[in-house]
Every structure is written in C-alpha cells, then in structure tokens.
Amino acid sequence: MKLAMFLGSAIAVLSASIAHAQAPVTVGPNGEPATPVAELQLSDAQIAQLKDGNYTAAFAWHELYDWSSAVAQGAKDEFERLGIAVVAETTAGFDSAVQQSNVETVMALNPSILISLPVDPAAGASTYAAAVEGGAKLVFVDNAAEGFVHGTDYVTTVSADLVGIGNKTAEAMNAAIGGQGKIGYIFHDADFHVTNLRDATFKWNIENQYTGIEIVAEAGMADPARIDDIASAMLLQNPDLDALYVPWAEPADAVLSVLRQQGLDDVKIITIDLNEPVALDMINGGNTAALIADEAYNIGVYAARAGAAALLGEAVDPFLVVDALIVTADNIEAGWQQSLHQDPPASLLRAK
Amino acid sequence: MSSSTAADGAKRSLLSRINLQQYVVYVGFLAIFLFFAVVLRDSGFLTQRNLVNIVLQTAPSIIMAIGLVFVLSAGEIDLSFGSIVAVSALCAAMAMAALPEAALPVGIAAGIGAGLLIGFINGVLVAWVRLPSFLVTLATMGLLSGVARSLTNLRSIPVTDPLFTGIFGSGSLFGIPSLVIWVIVAVALGHMIYRETRFGAHVLATGDNAGASLVSGIKVPNIKVMIFMISGALAGLAGLLYSGRLQAAKYTLGETDLMTVIAAVIVGGTLLNGGKGSVIGALVGALMMGMLNNGLILMGLSVSDQMIVRGLIILAAVAVSLREKAR
C-alpha cells in the first residue's frame, strides 16, 4: 500500500509535469526536492572531531556488481578520509529476507553508521528495525524504507538524478542522429521506480524538446532475456529506424547482437550504464552512440559523508542527488573515472 | 602381546560400530561455534541477541530442511521448495489483502494450501506419471519462479495483519520468539513422524529399496506423493514465516535458500540417494549454515571473501560427511 502510494506520488508528479508539458523533476521517495550532493561539506575541524570519535560503519548492500561496487568503494574511501572504520559488509542477492538478516547481524557490532540500498522498500520497516533500535545513523542509497521519517529514522537518501539521466539520454539521442529521424523506444515494462522515471523522462524530452525526432515504435520489456525478440520484431516492422533507446546496457548488448545479425550498421543505440561489451562496440565504431552514467562513486562518497555529518549532529537534506554524464568514444577514460572512479577495462583501452 | 592385540582389536571394533557420519554435523557445529566464540569474543558473536538472531534468521531454512529430509529419504529430490516459498508467501499476502477481516485463517489456508497443491502436483508427476523427480521439480522450480513474478508484476505485497505478523514473525509466547516455537514444533513433529511412525519407516524403506517395499505391501506411489506434499506444505510454512518476519511478500523469497538447505540436510546426515536421514541432523546442519553466515560477516570479511570461505567450509563439511557415509 505504502509502496503504491510512493510510486503513485512519484508518477503523479511526473504525470502532472507531462500533462502540462513542463519538464519532469527528480523527487525523493516521499516527494522531497532534490539537493545536489556538492552542498554537503565537512570542515577540517569536523573531520578532526570525527577522527577522534572512534566511529564505525557497516554496509548492507542489495547486491554487489560494478555499479554498487563503485558506490561501496566511494563510501569506503570517504570513511577512510574521515577516520571511520568499516567493520562489516554484506550483500543480499536481491533477497529482502537475507537483507534483514544481514542488518540484524551487523548490528551486533554496533556500527555508528549503516549504509544500505533497500531491496524492498515496502519491507523496509522490518528490515531496518534493528538498525533504528540500535541507534545507527542510517543512510539509504537510491530509495528509502517506506514509513521511515527523515531526520528521525534515517539521515538521508543519496541517489542518482533519475530525471537528469533521462534528460542526458535524450540529449545523446539528439546528437547521435543529428536532431532528425525515426526512433524505436524500448522501455522497462515493470513497476520499478528507477527505470520508469528514466524512461518516461527520455520520452518526454523527445516529444517536447527534440521535435525533429519521432518515436515511431515503442515496446515494453518485462523480461530482459526476451529483448532479442522485441528488438527483432520492432526492426522487422520498422525497417527505417535511425536509432533505438534501450533502458539499460545489459539488454542493449543483446540488441546489438540482433543488429549485427541483420547487418543494420547504421541504427544507433543509446542506453544507460557503463558496460564493457557495449562500450567496446562504441569504441569500435559500432551501433552504440553513447552510454549515460551516473556518478556512482560519488553516491558512496556522499552517503558516507552524510552519515558522518549526522554523527556530529548536522542536519542533512532528505534527498541528495549526484550528476549524470554522457560517455562517448571520445571521453571514455574521463567518463569511467567520473562515474566509477577507475580506469576503463583493459579491452577498452586497447581498442582506443 | 596377545592381550594388547586383542585390546586393539576391541577398540577398532568399537570405533567401527560408532557411526561417525552421524556425528560429523555435531562436531562441525561445535568446532565452528568454538572458533567464532574465540575469534569474535569482542565482536558481539556470543551475545544472547546475536545467538537468538541466528536461530530466527535460520528458522525458514530449518522448516524447509525438514521437508527435504523426507524427500531425500524416500530416494527422491525436490528442487522446487525455494520457489514454493515465494508463491505461498505471495498467495497468503494476496489472500489477506483481499479478505482483511479474516486475514489469519485465509493467509494460512492460502499459503499452506498453495504449498500442498504444488507438492501434490510434484508427487503425482513423480509417483504416478513416473517422471524423474529431479526433472519434474527442476521444471516446477522454473515455472513457479515465473508464476511468483507474474502474480504481482514483480511488486511486493505488504503484510499488515498484526495477528499474522505476530504468530509468524515478530511475536513471542512466554518470552520465546514465535519463530523459535515454530522451529521446535516442526522439528519435534518431524522427528517423531520420521522415527516413530509407520509412515516414517515406509519412507525410509521406499528410499532404501522401492522395489522390495512395493513387494512387501508398502504403497510406494502414495508415500512419494505424501513426501512431496510434506515438502510443499513446509515450504509454504517457510513462506508464511518469511512474510510474517518481513511484513511483506515478494517473488525473491526463498530463491537463495535452495543450495544452503540441500547442503544443511546432507551435512546433517541424510543420504542423497535415500534410505537414511535425520531431522535433528538437518536442524543442526541448518543452524551451522546460519552461524557460518553470521560469523563471517562479524569477522569483517569482504563479501567475496565471505563467499569463498563459506564455500570452502561447506565443501569440507559435505566431503567429510559423504566420505564417512561411504565407509
């Protein structure tokens, strides 16, 4: 019910924006306005105070993969800078029951700060009950536990700017096809806030900002494993497509295989997330024109900083967002650094 | 000289009579417990709260493990119980949302009923259609994962009935958490049925030699349908415990439990090819897995190191357990 309310409010904001042809805006889990992370800073005196405090921190991740590992690394580096020891790290394999067990387990160590991305916000109240009871400063990534009160139960939510990503995706599409053309729009057909908002913002931008581009085909993707069928059907029915929007990079890799199979070298792909095979295609002059990424590493840095600020009694805004960026073949190294704070994989460096 | 040889012979004979396999899980449990108790003495491992947490977190796995003991003992396997957990939890949550005025009975009926029905279908396909249980339950596992996803379009369903969440999650009776009571009741009943009843004996006989059992008058097909229904019902109960504890049901519940529960049951002294098993061993095996997860996290290991160490310890425990059985 609460999840429905949250999603309802987020979608309502978006729908209202669309209905009035106004640009969508990123809002937090409870409709809070977004604050750029750069506004959260600690003075030298505060850092010294933290270093003397013998504070500890723990992570209860949803799952660890390249994006979340970059977030985790950002948080670890920031904690090290602030003299806060990381005492435990867990991952839940996207299982909310496992995540609750993990939170209960790490709370045996009484960490001062707990950073977590909730697997299931609807189950958040029970998942994080042990952390609230244990007095840990709880910092969420991406989404907050439903029913939790900012400033009382949790410090803040640090997230990517979803609307910012959607805007950049449309901007990259416009650049890829020179402001004119017919495109196919494949969206994530599931009730999932992150992808729903990114997809809808992309579409809004194309329809309202880039009027030279026309969406001539659209299809929902419920199961990423079936993306080949969706892309094949779309290309069969619309042989004159100039480009495709694919909601994230993993299915985009499968779409690439369909394009290669059919010899469609001129159809561009715009997608989201840094992904090695798709980036390799981009560097090699393949179909991929651009990848849109968020500053994952910075999400971790500012989540850690927000928890530390809360330990010092500082008020932190409820919803902090990091920037989004467009990565193309020309800025692949800088883009990888800005997003993940690491060099691109060796295969990409070799291909350049 | 001759008396010492006779004494050695007697010792060897005594050792050979003690079935070491039965004790592997207990020795392993004790060794891991002592290791963590020493290494993590200042890290909260031995606090009452942490030890209770281990039992609470392991409760659904223990319930599933009891069902698997019956299935393996009868010479079959059930790979679908993890998926039954999610479907049962979602059915229960949806039924409760539809009929909030009678949330508890409809939730229980829907959750356990779904497990029983799926178990019955598994059993019929194995016992009467005579398909291999590995393939049948592999197929139903995939099928049910799809059903769980489509039931709610990947959304989670909140479970808000306080009576339900009390009985199946956060409640307690005389200071004993309800999940612990469920474990005690399920293990006691499971052990009694397995060891003390004719049905338990027939399950073991079926697993030991199905042909001979049939000739001796045991209704082997019926036994097989029953054990899959037990496994399904217990997976359904695990689903209720998960949804009660989380106060929500989601398609991911139980998905990660399959391998852990199988390992717990094998380490606990149940033979993979039937004819022998132990409900108490499965209980200790499941607790050992839970303790391992807990201790490795408290040790501050990185996630990948936790996975590697856990995998190595489970491999060692299963290897020792199976080697002892082979003797």
Side-chain angles (χ1 to χ4, degrees), chain A residues 6-7 9-10 13 25-35 142-144 154 157 159 193 197 318-321:
Chain A
F6 153 55
L7 289 169
S9 62
V13 170
V25 289
T26 299
V27 292
N30 299 304
E32 312 93 333
T35 308
D142 258 9
N143 216 337
Y154 72 102
T157 304
S159 167
H193 173 62
L197 194 49
F319 188 57
L320 307 179
V321 293

PDB file of all heavy atoms in Angstrom, chain A residues 6-7 9-10 13 25-35 142-144 154 157 159 193 197 318-321:
ATOM      1  N   PHE A   6       3.830   5.625  -2.624  1.00  0.00           N
ATOM      2  CA  PHE A   6       5.085   6.287  -3.003  1.00  0.00           C
ATOM      3  C   PHE A   6       5.227   6.371  -4.519  1.00  0.00           C
ATOM      4  O   PHE A   6       5.475   7.425  -5.092  1.00  0.00           O
ATOM      5  CB  PHE A   6       6.254   5.537  -2.372  1.00  0.00           C
ATOM      6  CG  PHE A   6       7.543   5.676  -3.129  1.00  0.00           C
ATOM      7  CD1 PHE A   6       8.057   6.926  -3.408  1.00  0.00           C
ATOM      8  CD2 PHE A   6       8.230   4.555  -3.549  1.00  0.00           C
ATOM      9  CE1 PHE A   6       9.225   7.053  -4.109  1.00  0.00           C
ATOM     10  CE2 PHE A   6       9.384   4.680  -4.249  1.00  0.00           C
ATOM     11  CZ  PHE A   6       9.888   5.935  -4.535  1.00  0.00           C
ATOM     12  N   LEU A   7       5.008   5.204  -5.148  1.00  0.00           N
ATOM     13  CA  LEU A   7       5.136   5.189  -6.597  1.00  0.00           C
ATOM     14  C   LEU A   7       4.074   6.086  -7.218  1.00  0.00           C
ATOM     15  O   LEU A   7       4.333   6.810  -8.168  1.00  0.00           O
ATOM     16  CB  LEU A   7       4.995   3.757  -7.120  1.00  0.00           C
ATOM     17  CG  LEU A   7       6.175   2.854  -6.783  1.00  0.00           C
ATOM     18  CD1 LEU A   7       5.846   1.407  -7.081  1.00  0.00           C
ATOM     19  CD2 LEU A   7       7.412   3.278  -7.553  1.00  0.00           C
ATOM     20  N   SER A   9       2.776   8.748  -5.926  1.00  0.00           N
ATOM     21  CA  SER A   9       3.112  10.163  -5.806  1.00  0.00           C
ATOM     22  C   SER A   9       4.196  10.552  -6.800  1.00  0.00           C
ATOM     23  O   SER A   9       4.132  11.601  -7.438  1.00  0.00           O
ATOM     24  CB  SER A   9       3.540  10.506  -4.380  1.00  0.00           C
ATOM     25  OG  SER A   9       4.690   9.784  -4.050  1.00  0.00           O
ATOM     26  N   ALA A  10       5.191   9.651  -6.953  1.00  0.00           N
ATOM     27  CA  ALA A  10       6.276   9.946  -7.892  1.00  0.00           C
ATOM     28  C   ALA A  10       5.735  10.043  -9.308  1.00  0.00           C
ATOM     29  O   ALA A  10       6.046  10.975 -10.057  1.00  0.00           O
ATOM     30  CB  ALA A  10       7.347   8.867  -7.804  1.00  0.00           C
ATOM     31  N   VAL A  13       3.577  13.149  -9.809  1.00  0.00           N
ATOM     32  CA  VAL A  13       4.375  14.354 -10.069  1.00  0.00           C
ATOM     33  C   VAL A  13       4.799  14.374 -11.527  1.00  0.00           C
ATOM     34  O   VAL A  13       4.687  15.367 -12.230  1.00  0.00           O
ATOM     35  CB  VAL A  13       5.624  14.379  -9.149  1.00  0.00           C
ATOM     36  CG1 VAL A  13       6.582  15.479  -9.578  1.00  0.00           C
ATOM     37  CG2 VAL A  13       5.198  14.586  -7.709  1.00  0.00           C
ATOM     38  N   VAL A  25      10.687  16.599 -12.911  1.00  0.00           N
ATOM     39  CA  VAL A  25      11.730  16.902 -11.929  1.00  0.00           C
ATOM     40  C   VAL A  25      11.974  15.670 -11.060  1.00  0.00           C
ATOM     41  O   VAL A  25      11.068  14.884 -10.809  1.00  0.00           O
ATOM     42  CB  VAL A  25      11.349  18.087 -11.014  1.00  0.00           C
ATOM     43  CG1 VAL A  25      11.388  19.387 -11.774  1.00  0.00           C
ATOM     44  CG2 VAL A  25       9.969  17.867 -10.395  1.00  0.00           C
ATOM     45  N   THR A  26      13.221  15.525 -10.620  1.00  0.00           N
ATOM     46  CA  THR A  26      13.546  14.416  -9.738  1.00  0.00           C
ATOM     47  C   THR A  26      13.057  14.746  -8.333  1.00  0.00           C
ATOM     48  O   THR A  26      13.359  15.820  -7.805  1.00  0.00           O
ATOM     49  CB  THR A  26      15.068  14.200  -9.698  1.00  0.00           C
ATOM     50  OG1 THR A  26      15.514  13.886 -11.018  1.00  0.00           O
ATOM     51  CG2 THR A  26      15.440  13.050  -8.765  1.00  0.00           C
ATOM     52  N   VAL A  27      12.279  13.821  -7.755  1.00  0.00           N
ATOM     53  CA  VAL A  27      11.857  13.999  -6.365  1.00  0.00           C
ATOM     54  C   VAL A  27      12.261  12.760  -5.575  1.00  0.00           C
ATOM     55  O   VAL A  27      12.475  11.687  -6.136  1.00  0.00           O
ATOM     56  CB  VAL A  27      10.334  14.214  -6.244  1.00  0.00           C
ATOM     57  CG1 VAL A  27       9.926  15.534  -6.848  1.00  0.00           C
ATOM     58  CG2 VAL A  27       9.566  13.064  -6.890  1.00  0.00           C
ATOM     59  N   GLY A  28      12.357  12.918  -4.273  1.00  0.00           N
ATOM     60  CA  GLY A  28      12.765  11.822  -3.406  1.00  0.00           C
ATOM     61  C   GLY A  28      11.648  10.833  -3.161  1.00  0.00           C
ATOM     62  O   GLY A  28      10.527  11.011  -3.650  1.00  0.00           O
ATOM     63  N   PRO A  29      11.932   9.799  -2.369  1.00  0.00           N
ATOM     64  CA  PRO A  29      10.962   8.744  -2.112  1.00  0.00           C
ATOM     65  C   PRO A  29       9.647   9.253  -1.523  1.00  0.00           C
ATOM     66  O   PRO A  29       8.602   8.667  -1.733  1.00  0.00           O
ATOM     67  CB  PRO A  29      11.677   7.846  -1.102  1.00  0.00           C
ATOM     68  CG  PRO A  29      13.115   8.129  -1.291  1.00  0.00           C
ATOM     69  CD  PRO A  29      13.223   9.549  -1.730  1.00  0.00           C
ATOM     70  N   ASN A  30       9.703  10.370  -0.802  1.00  0.00           N
ATOM     71  CA  ASN A  30       8.474  10.908  -0.238  1.00  0.00           C
ATOM     72  C   ASN A  30       8.119  12.246  -0.868  1.00  0.00           C
ATOM     73  O   ASN A  30       7.461  13.082  -0.258  1.00  0.00           O
ATOM     74  CB  ASN A  30       8.615  11.062   1.280  1.00  0.00           C
ATOM     75  CG  ASN A  30       8.878   9.720   1.940  1.00  0.00           C
ATOM     76  OD1 ASN A  30       8.106   8.787   1.778  1.00  0.00           O
ATOM     77  ND2 ASN A  30       9.996   9.608   2.640  1.00  0.00           N
ATOM     78  N   GLY A  31       8.577  12.425  -2.093  1.00  0.00           N
ATOM     79  CA  GLY A  31       8.268  13.653  -2.809  1.00  0.00           C
ATOM     80  C   GLY A  31       9.174  14.822  -2.449  1.00  0.00           C
ATOM     81  O   GLY A  31       8.890  15.972  -2.800  1.00  0.00           O
ATOM     82  N   GLU A  32      10.291  14.555  -1.744  1.00  0.00           N
ATOM     83  CA  GLU A  32      11.164  15.655  -1.327  1.00  0.00           C
ATOM     84  C   GLU A  32      11.914  16.227  -2.527  1.00  0.00           C
ATOM     85  O   GLU A  32      12.228  15.500  -3.465  1.00  0.00           O
ATOM     86  CB  GLU A  32      12.229  15.173  -0.320  1.00  0.00           C
ATOM     87  CG  GLU A  32      11.717  14.342   0.827  1.00  0.00           C
ATOM     88  CD  GLU A  32      11.785  12.863   0.525  1.00  0.00           C
ATOM     89  OE1 GLU A  32      11.738  12.472  -0.663  1.00  0.00           O
ATOM     90  OE2 GLU A  32      11.867  12.079   1.482  1.00  0.00           O
ATOM     91  N   PRO A  33      12.229  17.523  -2.476  1.00  0.00           N
ATOM     92  CA  PRO A  33      13.036  18.095  -3.558  1.00  0.00           C
ATOM     93  C   PRO A  33      14.466  17.561  -3.500  1.00  0.00           C
ATOM     94  O   PRO A  33      14.950  17.179  -2.423  1.00  0.00           O
ATOM     95  CB  PRO A  33      13.014  19.598  -3.249  1.00  0.00           C
ATOM     96  CG  PRO A  33      12.716  19.682  -1.786  1.00  0.00           C
ATOM     97  CD  PRO A  33      11.873  18.496  -1.450  1.00  0.00           C
ATOM     98  N   ALA A  34      15.114  17.516  -4.646  1.00  0.00           N
ATOM     99  CA  ALA A  34      16.486  17.003  -4.708  1.00  0.00           C
ATOM    100  C   ALA A  34      17.494  18.102  -4.375  1.00  0.00           C
ATOM    101  O   ALA A  34      17.331  19.242  -4.786  1.00  0.00           O
ATOM    102  CB  ALA A  34      16.754  16.457  -6.102  1.00  0.00           C
ATOM    103  N   THR A  35      18.510  17.737  -3.611  1.00  0.00           N
ATOM    104  CA  THR A  35      19.598  18.662  -3.292  1.00  0.00           C
ATOM    105  C   THR A  35      20.874  18.129  -3.936  1.00  0.00           C
ATOM    106  O   THR A  35      21.206  16.953  -3.727  1.00  0.00           O
ATOM    107  CB  THR A  35      19.828  18.721  -1.758  1.00  0.00           C
ATOM    108  OG1 THR A  35      18.588  18.978  -1.123  1.00  0.00           O
ATOM    109  CG2 THR A  35      20.849  19.777  -1.393  1.00  0.00           C
ATOM    110  N   ASP A 142      19.609   5.311  -3.162  1.00  0.00           N
ATOM    111  CA  ASP A 142      18.558   5.145  -4.179  1.00  0.00           C
ATOM    112  C   ASP A 142      17.126   5.256  -3.676  1.00  0.00           C
ATOM    113  O   ASP A 142      16.298   5.875  -4.301  1.00  0.00           O
ATOM    114  CB  ASP A 142      18.695   3.807  -4.926  1.00  0.00           C
ATOM    115  CG  ASP A 142      19.321   3.989  -6.294  1.00  0.00           C
ATOM    116  OD1 ASP A 142      19.784   5.099  -6.568  1.00  0.00           O
ATOM    117  OD2 ASP A 142      19.350   3.023  -7.071  1.00  0.00           O
ATOM    118  N   ASN A 143      16.810   4.587  -2.569  1.00  0.00           N
ATOM    119  CA  ASN A 143      15.423   4.555  -2.122  1.00  0.00           C
ATOM    120  C   ASN A 143      15.373   4.402  -0.607  1.00  0.00           C
ATOM    121  O   ASN A 143      16.255   3.755  -0.038  1.00  0.00           O
ATOM    122  CB  ASN A 143      14.711   3.368  -2.775  1.00  0.00           C
ATOM    123  CG  ASN A 143      13.281   3.710  -3.113  1.00  0.00           C
ATOM    124  OD1 ASN A 143      12.697   4.621  -2.512  1.00  0.00           O
ATOM    125  ND2 ASN A 143      12.716   2.997  -4.062  1.00  0.00           N
ATOM    126  N   ALA A 144      14.356   4.961   0.020  1.00  0.00           N
ATOM    127  CA  ALA A 144      14.268   4.866   1.484  1.00  0.00           C
ATOM    128  C   ALA A 144      13.256   3.805   1.887  1.00  0.00           C
ATOM    129  O   ALA A 144      12.399   3.416   1.094  1.00  0.00           O
ATOM    130  CB  ALA A 144      13.851   6.212   2.053  1.00  0.00           C
ATOM    131  N   TYR A 154      16.059   7.927   9.668  1.00  0.00           N
ATOM    132  CA  TYR A 154      17.195   7.840   8.756  1.00  0.00           C
ATOM    133  C   TYR A 154      17.730   9.231   8.444  1.00  0.00           C
ATOM    134  O   TYR A 154      17.038  10.240   8.639  1.00  0.00           O
ATOM    135  CB  TYR A 154      16.815   7.088   7.475  1.00  0.00           C
ATOM    136  CG  TYR A 154      15.914   7.825   6.520  1.00  0.00           C
ATOM    137  CD1 TYR A 154      16.427   8.426   5.383  1.00  0.00           C
ATOM    138  CD2 TYR A 154      14.545   7.921   6.753  1.00  0.00           C
ATOM    139  CE1 TYR A 154      15.606   9.097   4.494  1.00  0.00           C
ATOM    140  CE2 TYR A 154      13.717   8.592   5.874  1.00  0.00           C
ATOM    141  CZ  TYR A 154      14.244   9.181   4.747  1.00  0.00           C
ATOM    142  OH  TYR A 154      13.432   9.858   3.874  1.00  0.00           O
ATOM    143  N   THR A 157      18.628  10.042   1.815  1.00  0.00           N
ATOM    144  CA  THR A 157      18.741   9.098   0.702  1.00  0.00           C
ATOM    145  C   THR A 157      19.634   9.760  -0.349  1.00  0.00           C
ATOM    146  O   THR A 157      19.385  10.899  -0.738  1.00  0.00           O
ATOM    147  CB  THR A 157      17.357   8.815   0.076  1.00  0.00           C
ATOM    148  OG1 THR A 157      16.491   8.338   1.099  1.00  0.00           O
ATOM    149  CG2 THR A 157      17.460   7.790  -1.034  1.00  0.00           C
ATOM    150  N   SER A 159      21.074   9.461  -4.164  1.00  0.00           N
ATOM    151  CA  SER A 159      20.623   8.767  -5.371  1.00  0.00           C
ATOM    152  C   SER A 159      21.216   9.403  -6.617  1.00  0.00           C
ATOM    153  O   SER A 159      21.737  10.516  -6.581  1.00  0.00           O
ATOM    154  CB  SER A 159      19.085   8.853  -5.429  1.00  0.00           C
ATOM    155  OG  SER A 159      18.611   8.471  -6.686  1.00  0.00           O
ATOM    156  N   HIS A 193      10.547   2.043  -9.942  1.00  0.00           N
ATOM    157  CA  HIS A 193      10.644   3.497  -9.941  1.00  0.00           C
ATOM    158  C   HIS A 193      11.823   4.022 -10.764  1.00  0.00           C
ATOM    159  O   HIS A 193      11.666   4.941 -11.583  1.00  0.00           O
ATOM    160  CB  HIS A 193      10.747   3.971  -8.487  1.00  0.00           C
ATOM    161  CG  HIS A 193      11.028   5.419  -8.323  1.00  0.00           C
ATOM    162  ND1 HIS A 193      10.159   6.390  -8.768  1.00  0.00           N
ATOM    163  CD2 HIS A 193      12.083   6.075  -7.781  1.00  0.00           C
ATOM    164  CE1 HIS A 193      10.662   7.573  -8.496  1.00  0.00           C
ATOM    165  NE2 HIS A 193      11.826   7.414  -7.900  1.00  0.00           N
ATOM    166  N   LEU A 197      11.063   6.159 -14.250  1.00  0.00           N
ATOM    167  CA  LEU A 197      11.262   7.606 -14.308  1.00  0.00           C
ATOM    168  C   LEU A 197      12.270   7.984 -15.403  1.00  0.00           C
ATOM    169  O   LEU A 197      12.092   8.965 -16.123  1.00  0.00           O
ATOM    170  CB  LEU A 197      11.721   8.113 -12.933  1.00  0.00           C
ATOM    171  CG  LEU A 197      11.661   9.619 -12.697  1.00  0.00           C
ATOM    172  CD1 LEU A 197      10.329  10.212 -13.102  1.00  0.00           C
ATOM    173  CD2 LEU A 197      11.922   9.931 -11.227  1.00  0.00           C
ATOM    174  N   PRO A 318      16.896  15.709   2.924  1.00  0.00           N
ATOM    175  CA  PRO A 318      16.377  14.332   2.815  1.00  0.00           C
ATOM    176  C   PRO A 318      16.746  13.591   1.543  1.00  0.00           C
ATOM    177  O   PRO A 318      16.735  12.364   1.519  1.00  0.00           O
ATOM    178  CB  PRO A 318      14.862  14.526   2.891  1.00  0.00           C
ATOM    179  CG  PRO A 318      14.626  15.941   2.502  1.00  0.00           C
ATOM    180  CD  PRO A 318      15.827  16.709   2.948  1.00  0.00           C
ATOM    181  N   PHE A 319      17.069  14.314   0.474  1.00  0.00           N
ATOM    182  CA  PHE A 319      17.282  13.617  -0.796  1.00  0.00           C
ATOM    183  C   PHE A 319      18.420  14.278  -1.558  1.00  0.00           C
ATOM    184  O   PHE A 319      18.280  15.386  -2.073  1.00  0.00           O
ATOM    185  CB  PHE A 319      15.981  13.655  -1.618  1.00  0.00           C
ATOM    186  CG  PHE A 319      16.022  12.818  -2.859  1.00  0.00           C
ATOM    187  CD1 PHE A 319      16.294  11.453  -2.802  1.00  0.00           C
ATOM    188  CD2 PHE A 319      15.780  13.380  -4.105  1.00  0.00           C
ATOM    189  CE1 PHE A 319      16.328  10.677  -3.947  1.00  0.00           C
ATOM    190  CE2 PHE A 319      15.813  12.612  -5.256  1.00  0.00           C
ATOM    191  CZ  PHE A 319      16.085  11.257  -5.169  1.00  0.00           C
ATOM    192  N   LEU A 320      19.569  13.618  -1.591  1.00  0.00           N
ATOM    193  CA  LEU A 320      20.761  14.164  -2.251  1.00  0.00           C
ATOM    194  C   LEU A 320      20.964  13.452  -3.589  1.00  0.00           C
ATOM    195  O   LEU A 320      20.826  12.222  -3.660  1.00  0.00           O
ATOM    196  CB  LEU A 320      22.001  13.944  -1.379  1.00  0.00           C
ATOM    197  CG  LEU A 320      21.932  14.427   0.084  1.00  0.00           C
ATOM    198  CD1 LEU A 320      23.237  14.096   0.806  1.00  0.00           C
ATOM    199  CD2 LEU A 320      21.669  15.921   0.148  1.00  0.00           C
ATOM    200  N   VAL A 321      21.293  14.214  -4.616  1.00  0.00           N
ATOM    201  CA  VAL A 321      21.490  13.572  -5.928  1.00  0.00           C
ATOM    202  C   VAL A 321      22.849  13.928  -6.528  1.00  0.00           C
ATOM    203  O   VAL A 321      23.375  15.017  -6.312  1.00  0.00           O
ATOM    204  CB  VAL A 321      20.384  13.958  -6.942  1.00  0.00           C
ATOM    205  CG1 VAL A 321      19.042  13.403  -6.525  1.00  0.00           C
ATOM    206  CG2 VAL A 321      20.305  15.465  -7.147  1.00  0.00           C
TER     207      VAL A 321
END
